[in-house]
Amino acid sequence: MKDTGPQTGHGGTAEDDHRRLLRSVVRTAVAIFDAQASSIALLDQADGELVFEAVAGKGEDGLVGRRFPAERGIAGWVLQSRQPVEVQDVDRDAHFARDIAESTDYVPNTLMAAPLFAGDEPLGVLEVLDRSQELRAPLAAMELLALFADQASVALALVQRGRRERLAGGPAVEHGDAAAVRALAEEIGALDDGRGAAARRIVSDLAEVLRRRD
């Protein structure tokens, strides 16, 4: 019988929990920013590639598992520079890789991207494509993106750690980040429309995963 990883209290595996959490992050990002799409890509350091781990919105069908060179595109630049960015016109940005965008079946006009880390270790990149310009000023939007990046980093670190532990044949030992959860929860608490309910799902999902792991 194939070992699919540690079982959770809900009958699924830790990998299932982590993938659900990643999906929750990108789906909530789409709702909060009223964006066309959002994605989380994991850095595969061995192959030097970014791998789509979760996608919501435009172009989501068939993208999970797709790879592209980690040094290319705005995502690649964000990862190398370790700086988040909001690009108002991708065609005017020297780092934009149109061929990669076209291969996903959705080419954005604007995007936000933030690098994801576990300590000093690069994990990947969170992107939000074509957010509503009516919702938040650029600075406020980037502050909220940073909070989402915190949550995505926690989730992606759990995924990566769990996979490494399974490859090594040992149990997955995982740690939470309660401060990051609280920060996002406070930001979400200020929302007064339908986006609030969607956003609260990410906090609930993350808290549930961390509670079962700690």
Side-chain angles (χ1 to χ4, degrees), residues 61-209:
D61 294 336
L63 272 186
V64 172
R66 291 271 298 274
R67 295 167 171 264
F68 60 96
E71 74 279 1
R72 293 202 59 209
I74 294 173
W77 180 84
V78 163
L79 191 63
Q80 292 177 35
S81 69
R82 297 177 169 244
Q83 296 293 324
V85 68
E86 179 166 22
V87 178
Q88 296 293 339
D89 183 351
V90 296
D91 286 330
R92 297 173 65 88
D93 191 284
H95 303 290
F96 181 59
R98 175 166 285 276
D99 59 326
I100 294 177
E102 289 176 345
S103 74
T104 69
D105 295 327
Y106 181 71
V107 180
N109 295 308
T110 69
L111 68 79
M112 305 169 69
L116 308 177
F117 293 95
D120 289 331
E121 179 185 2
L123 296 176
V125 178
L126 167 68
E127 287 190 316
V128 176
L129 310 183
D130 287 330
R131 75 172 180 90
S132 171
Q133 299 300 309
E134 299 178 358
L135 293 178
R136 289 175 176 268
L139 180 58
M142 292 301 288
E143 289 174 348
L144 183 56
L145 181 69
L147 291 176
F148 269 93
D150 285 344
Q151 305 314 305
S153 294
V154 172
L156 209 52
L158 291 174
V159 169
Q160 190 175 70
R161 187 179 299 119
R163 290 175 181 174
R164 287 174 177 173
E165 292 292 341
R166 285 194 292 277
L167 285 173
V173 179
E174 296 155 346
H175 306 280
D177 189 340
V181 176
R182 284 196 300 271
L184 186 60
E186 290 172 0
E187 178 72 18
I188 286 171
L191 296 173
D192 57 3
D193 57 18
R195 292 176 295 132
R200 282 187 283 276
R201 286 198 296 269
I202 185 177
V203 175
S204 176
D205 287 346
L206 180 56
E208 177 67 17
V209 170

Side-chain angles (χ1 to χ4, degrees), residues 46-62:
D47 292 335
E49 295 176 320
L50 284 165
V51 187
F52 284 111
E53 289 284 341
V55 182
K58 300 285 189 180
E60 68 179 78
D61 294 336

Side-chain angles (χ1 to χ4, degrees), residues 16-24 205 208-209 212:
D16 293 335
D17 278 349
H18 302 157
R19 284 193 174 278
R20 180 170 64 87
L21 181 55
L22 290 173
R23 287 195 298 270
S24 180
D205 287 346
E208 177 67 17
V209 170
R212 293 204 294 267

